[in-house]
């Protein structure tokens, strides 16, 4: 993922944290340190959720 995503609240760049789940699926957590906002991307499903990632 080469493009940068900005926080929906403060418009600053979000940190990308790749997470490998126990079932070998990969999700990407986008986190804003400034306003403590989190967005979860599920590339295999094509979903975006505005909540904490569930790795189980």
């Amino acid at each position: 993922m080469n493009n940068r995503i900005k926080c929906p609240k403060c418009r600053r760049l979000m940190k990308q944290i790749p997470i490998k789940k126990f079932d070998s699926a990969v999700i990407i957590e986008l986190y804003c340190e400034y306003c403590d906002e989190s967005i979860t991307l599920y590339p295999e499903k094509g979903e975006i959720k505005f909540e904490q990632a569930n790795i189980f």
Side-chain angles (χ1 to χ4, degrees), residues 3-51:
N3 55 350
R4 300 287 183 184
I5 297 179
K6 293 184 179 180
C7 177
K9 285 186 178 179
C10 66
R11 307 305 297 167
R12 295 179 188 211
L13 292 179
M14 299 180 86
K15 283 191 172 185
Q16 298 180 12
I17 306 166
I19 301 170
K20 187 169 185 177
K21 294 174 61 173
F22 293 116
D23 63 355
S24 297
V26 176
I27 59 176
I28 299 171
E29 182 83 17
L30 299 171
Y31 180 71
C32 178
E33 293 178 340
Y34 183 73
C35 62
D36 196 34
E37 186 71 21
S38 179
I39 299 173
T40 306
L41 300 175
Y42 297 88
E44 294 176 353
K45 297 179 184 177
E47 293 180 355
I48 298 173
K49 294 186 179 180
F50 293 90
E51 59 188 27

